[in-house]
Amino acid sequence: MEPGVSAAPSPDVTHPLQGARIILAVSGGIAAYKAADLTSKLVQSGAVVEVILTAGGQEFVRPLTFQALTKRAVHTDTFAPWTGTSFGHITLAREAELLIVAPASANTIAKLALGLADDLLGAVALSTEAPLLLAPAMEHGMYHHPATQEHLATLLQRGATVVGPESGRLASGYEGDGRLVPVETILGRARALLGRDGPLAGKHVVVTAGGTREPLDPVRFVGNRSSGTMGYALAQAAIDCGAEVTLITTTTLSPPVSAAIVAVETAEQMRAAVEQAITGADVLIMAAAVADFRPDQPQQRKIKKRPDQHVMDLRLTQNPDIVASIDRPGLLKVGFAAETDDLVANARGKLTAKGLAMIVANDVVDTIGSAESVATIILPDRPPDELPRMSKQRLAAEIVARLLPLLDPEDTNGA
Ligand SMILES: Cc1cc2nc3c(=O)[nH]c(=O)nc-3n(C[C@H](O)[C@H](O)[C@H](O)COP(=O)(O)O)c2cc1C
């Protein structure tokens, strides 16, 4: 995974996995060993994980692995004695906020689609109101069999979320469809499902991230040190609150799993992508470091140096100011001001000039390309809100929290 972004949330950020009661059902496929990694990452993210091993699952992995990782008994048997206030599948089903089946075997998918309750997972799946997240893994032929496809379609139609499978090398050694998606993808989907009824549910947030690259010739560009970390963290923070997110990015960091990604390079491309994405959007967060200028005449061929050439003049032309140029009623615009001097005064000037609802000001030298940020959040007619140094993930959560009352002023007045 790329530096700066991780599906396992930063420990100082509150997120939907924290404290969530999750059932992880592991069925009988060769990818069952990957479920141990998933369990470990869910636990590290603060989730309370109850593991169910199907009969098939127990052929591949042993309960002790999951018991050690979760510090909880592993569930395998519908008919295990009920104790105290724990009523087997009924208690598991009632307490669950999310049911993940990973890997989901063809057999288990069929049973879930048919509503069979001849094992503990089947009984829990019928009893629970928790959303169902399936990560199928099997041989290419099993996956493409009409029976499996029909069962998956049935489950999707009932509201289940299905991630994968991916194409690639399968356990058999053949290439095909059927690989379990990466554990980070399952974690990201789980995070989005748990957050989906959050305060940004039904809202569309567009985020830009990374530094633009303005071409000089086919191999060189004028750019900046922006890593995109802040924009990616904002996209994740908005997803955590239930938003639909479009992330317009110049970087190749691993994006939040549920974001719609639009890849761009130049300021011009970013402007066009933003204009398209904001149709029907509620919020635009311009976290990208858009180059103020671009080479006036990018060359079609690689620029060659001559031995007697000691200097090269570079003529630049001004790029569009994306956030200032967008004026759509009902769209809440958030800007960033990376400054070296007179931080608050300069940022407040931009807030007014560009019609922003909020601006996040930070010292560019301290912040750009770094994992942390020292930021001041400025809203019209309010004193600046100076935040201490914190991770960009935490800052993203702070920014999103301050956006909520601006979106629904009546709902959250005084909150
Ligand atoms: C070595 C081996 C690997 C298997 N791998 C898979 C698999 O990746 N996916 C799958 O759907 N079934 C696989 N199967 C078949 C299942 O284990 C079998 O259908 C089992 O009944 C599934 O049980 P469960 O769904 O209750 O866990 C495999 C079987 C063997 C012997």
Side-chain angles (χ1 to χ4, degrees):
M1 178 155 288
E2 306 270 351
V5 171
S6 154
S10 154
D12 66 347
V13 183
T14 45
H15 54 80
L17 286 170
Q18 233 162 37
R21 299 193 71 93
I22 295 175
I23 297 177
L24 171 61
V26 181
S27 61
I30 204 75
Y33 74 94
K34 296 180 183 170
D37 187 27
L38 175 59
T39 306
S40 170
K41 292 202 164 98
L42 284 169
V43 170
Q44 286 175 50
S45 299
V48 180
V49 186
E50 302 280 1
V51 173
I52 295 178
L53 282 183
T54 64
Q58 290 169 68
E59 296 290 334
F60 291 86
V61 281
R62 290 178 63 80
L64 185 60
T65 305
F66 298 93
Q67 197 179 324
L69 288 168
T70 62
K71 317 285 181 299
R72 292 169 169 269
V74 168
H75 310 276
T76 54
D77 182 7
T78 318
F79 304 105
W82 290 7
T83 54
T85 52
S86 179
F87 307 130
H89 66 280
I90 296 168
T91 306
L92 280 170
R94 285 185 75 94
E95 290 182 348
E97 292 168 67
L98 176 65
L99 171 56
I100 305 176
V101 187
S105 69
N107 178 59
T108 285
I109 288 168
K111 284 170 48 164
L112 292 172
L114 292 171
L116 299 186
D118 65 349
D119 68 0
L120 182 61
L121 171 57
V124 168
L126 285 183
S127 313
T128 191
E129 288 178 10
L132 173 61
L133 172 59
L134 293 163
M138 63 200 71
E139 272 304 303
H140 181 93
M142 278 180 119
Y143 174 63
H144 282 289
H145 194 283
T148 307
Q149 290 300 314
E150 278 168 29
H151 293 317
L152 283 170
T154 301
L155 289 164
L156 279 169
Q157 192 235 325
R158 275 191 215 137
T161 301
V162 179
V163 274
E166 289 194 336
S167 301
R169 189 183 183 282
L170 304 173
S172 58
Y174 295 117
E175 296 281 322
D177 302 330
R179 277 175 69 85
L180 188 75
V181 290
V183 161
E184 283 72 18
T185 306
I186 303 172
L187 275 174
R189 271 305 159 92
R191 195 168 166 172
L193 276 170
L194 288 163
R196 70 181 175 176
D197 296 325
L200 288 180
K203 305 282 187 202
H204 181 193
V205 177
V206 177
V207 183
T208 64
T212 61
R213 294 174 161 203
E214 310 295 338
L216 264 171
D217 67 17
V219 287
R220 303 183 182 97
F221 59 84
V222 175
N224 60 63
R225 294 181 199 278
S226 169
S227 64
T229 309
M230 190 68 236
Y232 278 51
L234 280 158
Q236 182 65 67
I239 291 168
D240 285 348
C241 289
E244 175 201 343
V245 170
T246 304
L247 178 59
I248 299 169
T249 175
T250 63
T251 84
T252 53
L253 297 175
S254 296
V257 168
S258 300
I261 303 300
V262 183
V264 295
E265 277 209 351
T266 65
E268 254 317 319
Q269 290 168 357
M270 186 169 277
R271 187 186 56 78
V274 167
E275 276 178 5
Q276 198 176 351
I278 57 160
T279 315
D282 302 281
V283 183
L284 168 65
I285 309 179
M286 284 293 301
V290 182
D292 289 335
F293 292 91
R294 66 176 182 271
D296 194 21
Q297 289 190 324
Q299 302 298 303
Q300 299 304 315
R301 291 164 171 272
K302 186 172 173 234
I303 301 168
K304 296 248 188 255
K305 70 166 189 263
R306 292 188 320 268
D308 61 338
Q309 183 184 21
H310 299 297
V311 290
M312 178 187 161
D313 290 324
L314 186 58
R315 209 178 130 86
L316 302 172
T317 190
Q318 199 175 114
N319 265 330
D321 187 326
I322 301 174
V323 77
S325 71
I326 280 167
D327 183 20
R328 220 214 59 211
L331 179 73
L332 202 138
K333 296 193 292 181
V334 177
F336 275 72
E339 305 283 347
T340 48
D341 314 284
D342 298 328
L343 192 66
V344 172
N346 278 330
R348 208 177 270 290
K350 286 182 181 170
L351 178 85
T352 316
K354 300 182 187 200
L356 306 177
M358 177 194 291
I359 193 159
V360 182
N362 39 37
D363 184 305
V364 68
V365 181
D366 232 16
T367 299
I368 203 157
S370 158
E372 293 188 327
S373 180
V374 184
T376 302
I377 297 181
I378 303 168
L379 296 145
D381 310 321
R382 303 242 189 111
D385 187 358
E386 265 182 63
L387 300 175
R389 177 178 290 278
M390 57 181 69
S391 71
K392 288 183 176 173
Q393 284 73 22
R394 165 101 187 271
L395 176 59
E398 298 281 351
I399 293 168
V400 169
R402 284 165 177 76
L403 269 176
L404 301 177
L406 307 180
L407 278 164
D408 283 313
E410 275 153 37
D411 281 8
T412 40
N413 247 351

